Amino acid sequence: MKPVALVTGMSGVVGSTAAPLLTSSFEVVALTGRRVLDLDCAQVPIELRAPRLGLAPRVFSQLAQRADVIVHMAGSVNYTTSPEELHAVNEGGAAEVTALAESARCPLVFVSTAFAERYAQAPREAEVGAVTHARPSFYHRSKAAADERVRQCGQPWSIVRPSVVMGDSLDGSMPELQNAHRIVSMLSAGLPAMFGHPDHLVDMVPRDYVAQAVHRLALDAVAGRALPPEFWATAGSAALTMRQWSEVIQRSLARAGNPIPPPLQLDPFSTRVTDYPGWDGLRRSVRRGMATLYVSALALAAEPFPTSFPATGGQPGRPGFDNAFACSLFENDIDWMLRQSRTAQPSLR
């Protein structure tokens, strides 16, 4: 018989990628939100904000009795949500899932973020005012609080720390467009600049790499092998600088027949969002988008994240990370976006 895994977040970018891996190795019970999953596994609706995940005591106890491992990938990544709501979902959900793991006396694998400790930029975020309500630092702080809840778990646990999750390593495919795609789209439509210090790192990792790490940790957990307190699913020192990131975008657009001049790179730590060229002439929606990218760039830094991926490759058919490989992954990501007929060119004025 397969071991039983209770899994949250199977509809997300990482969760949907991990789903076929987990269902191949485990009898999965998907703990879901409002969305019914198109998966051949048992599904139990939960509420992350509620005590016992909104489950009746009998159901909570029955799940605990069945579980061999819990994989918690659910949460809110909405940068415009209030800090109270983010903490209720992310920290509160982590606390309730931790309680479930303790009741089950089973290991817990929790997917957090590499950016959990990067919330010191909050005062600078506030300077954008109402141009955008996005505040990434609120999200980062809520994940840091969730991490602390997991660390208090009396059962074996591991925290997975992905950086910016990008498309599949083979073809760049992604369930939905991400901020990186929106930047490419805006630049291809004629915007002359982007926010980010040229030497700051844009750490991105393919979604299948993160999913495989989650799967491997879950297998190790049920096998009784020691779990690392943290698994850094990041590019680490192989991450692209913002300068390289811009160069990859330029090469990709040129190959697609839409060459652009090198965009200006505006350091968000020494410029204001309103310093963007032609700011007063931009449409309100474009201003809001640029302000969101401005506050997002405040979380970047020149210091690389640690990484748990070996530089020489650790799995068959999966190369390890070096800078050239990171460039090729981002090229795949952009090429996939450009192939999508639904990618609209934004109007700037």
Side-chain angles (χ1 to χ4, degrees):
M1 292 180 60
K2 292 180 179 180
V4 175
L6 309 184
V7 186
T8 72
M10 292 184 77
S11 64
V13 169
V14 172
S16 61
T17 311
L21 299 173
L22 293 170
T23 54
S24 70
S25 302
F26 297 91
E27 180 185 344
V28 169
V29 178
L31 306 182
T32 66
R34 298 182 181 88
R35 188 182 308 179
V36 177
L37 305 178
D38 185 19
L39 291 173
D40 185 19
C41 66
Q43 300 184 36
V44 177
I46 63 168
E47 173 53 65
L48 289 174
R49 303 171 185 80
R52 294 189 310 274
L53 300 171
L55 299 169
R58 178 178 58 84
V59 176
F60 187 91
S61 178
Q62 288 174 340
L63 287 173
Q65 290 172 14
R66 294 187 62 195
D68 295 302
V69 65
I70 298 175
V71 179
H72 181 36
M73 298 180 284
S76 174
V77 196
N78 189 342
Y79 285 175
T80 63
T81 299
S82 71
E84 293 79 14
E85 174 69 7
L86 286 167
H87 278 269
V89 173
N90 293 335
E91 180 186 3
E96 297 304 323
V97 171
T98 296
L100 180 58
E102 290 180 332
S103 180
R105 298 184 179 179
C106 75
L108 170 61
V109 177
F110 172 51
V111 179
S112 182
T113 174
F115 294 89
E117 298 299 329
R118 292 195 178 176
Y119 47 76
Q121 75 275 21
R124 188 106 186 149
E125 286 178 352
E127 293 180 10
V128 303
V131 179
T132 177
H133 295 294
R135 299 292 186 269
S137 66
F138 293 168
Y139 165 70
H140 299 159
R141 196 183 292 270
S142 75
K143 295 299 278 188
D147 293 347
E148 189 55 37
R149 294 285 190 165
V150 171
R151 291 190 190 101
Q152 295 170 9
C153 183
Q155 298 300 314
W157 51 266
S158 186
I159 298 174
V160 183
R161 297 200 178 283
S163 53
V164 178
V165 179
M166 65 195 303
D168 187 89
S169 63
L170 298 180
D171 63 6
S173 61
M174 194 71 160
E176 57 192 30
L177 294 178
Q178 304 295 305
N179 273 344
H181 301 134
R182 297 183 180 97
I183 294 172
V184 174
S185 183
M186 287 180 170
L187 292 174
S188 68
L191 282 176
M194 59 185 184
F195 288 108
H197 190 288
D199 296 327
H200 284 183
L201 298 175
V202 187
D203 194 306
M204 302 178 73
V205 63
R207 62 187 176 112
D208 50 316
Y209 272 57
V210 183
Q212 287 191 348
V214 170
H215 179 232
R216 182 74 260 168
L217 288 167
L219 289 174
D220 287 347
V222 297
R225 288 187 279 269
L227 296 177
E230 295 178 310
F231 187 100
W232 289 86
T234 63
S237 60
L240 305 186
T241 64
M242 199 72 187
R243 182 182 292 106
Q244 289 178 305
W245 207 69
S246 173
E247 291 168 352
V248 171
I249 293 173
Q250 293 171 66
R251 288 198 302 269
S252 297
L253 291 177
R255 280 200 312 272
N258 184 23
I260 63 170
L264 297 173
Q265 295 183 33
L266 305 176
D267 179 7
F269 292 95
S270 60
T271 60
R272 298 169 300 176
V273 67
T274 52
D275 292 333
Y276 193 90
W279 177 261
D280 291 339
L282 297 178
R283 291 181 57 189
R284 180 179 299 178
S285 61
V286 177
R287 288 190 196 179
R288 183 170 59 249
M290 293 311 303
T292 299
L293 298 175
Y294 173 89
V295 296
S296 298
L298 290 169
L300 304 180
E303 181 70 22
F305 287 124
T307 183
S308 301
F309 291 129
T312 56
Q315 301 178 41
R318 296 293 177 181
F321 268 102
D322 61 21
N323 188 256
F325 183 56
C327 282
S328 69
L329 290 172
F330 188 37
E331 288 175 352
N332 285 348
D333 204 55
I334 297 172
D335 290 346
W336 172 82
M337 185 216 80
L338 295 175
R339 291 194 300 268
Q340 304 310 297
S341 59
R342 69 174 183 271
T343 302
Q345 297 296 327
S347 172
L348 307 183
R349 302 289 174 180

